[in-house]
């Protein structure tokens, strides 16, 4: 989300993709809970299960947004919908907050462009 806020779509795409790939390539990829527990048990991990779960949801959200608008990733509404659904299934409240944040920022940017 930091990368999106700073208009660094390439970085957002790279980090979100890496996060999702890391989780889906873990030996315990059967369930989200098992994947989160695997991440928690990795050496040098200082995050708890809740923050890792939110990070995974956020990564799916970022990929959904980038596919939805065609930034960095090809515009693919179906793939965006799949990623939004995955993010929402993990943490609907976070997805709603992130959606509101992006809409607010896009609104402010459009107002600034109009003023100029």
């Amino acid at each position: 989300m930091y990368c999106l806020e700073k208009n660094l779509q390439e970085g957002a795409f790279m980090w979100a993709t890496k996060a999702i790939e890391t989780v889906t390539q873990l030996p315990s990829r059967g369930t989200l809970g098992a994947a989160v527990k695997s991440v928690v048990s990795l050496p040098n991990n200082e995050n708890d299960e809740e923050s890792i779960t939110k990070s995974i949801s956020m990564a799916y959200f970022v990929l959904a947004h980038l596919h939805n608008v065609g930034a960095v990733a090809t515009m693919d509404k179906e793939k965006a919908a799949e990623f939004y659904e995955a993010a929402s299934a993990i943490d609907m409240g976070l997805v709603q907050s992130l959606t509101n944040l992006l809409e607010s920022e896009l609104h402010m940017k459009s107002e600034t462009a109009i003023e100029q």
Side-chain angles (χ1 to χ4, degrees), residues 34-92:
V36 169
K37 287 183 189 325
S38 292
V39 173
V40 169
S41 68
L42 290 173
N44 300 320
N45 177 49
E46 297 176 5
N47 297 301
D48 59 23
E49 290 184 17
E50 182 181 355
S51 62
I52 291 170
T53 301
K54 286 190 178 298
S55 296
I56 294 167
S57 179
M58 192 177 302
Y60 276 117
F61 178 85
V62 167
L63 290 176
H65 172 72
L66 293 172
H67 280 287
N68 191 45
V69 299
V72 182
T74 57
M75 185 180 286
D76 186 337
K77 300 290 184 179
E78 288 180 26
K79 189 174 270 190
E82 290 174 24
F83 286 139
Y84 279 128
E85 186 176 323
S88 297
I90 296 168
D91 192 333
M92 178 57 105

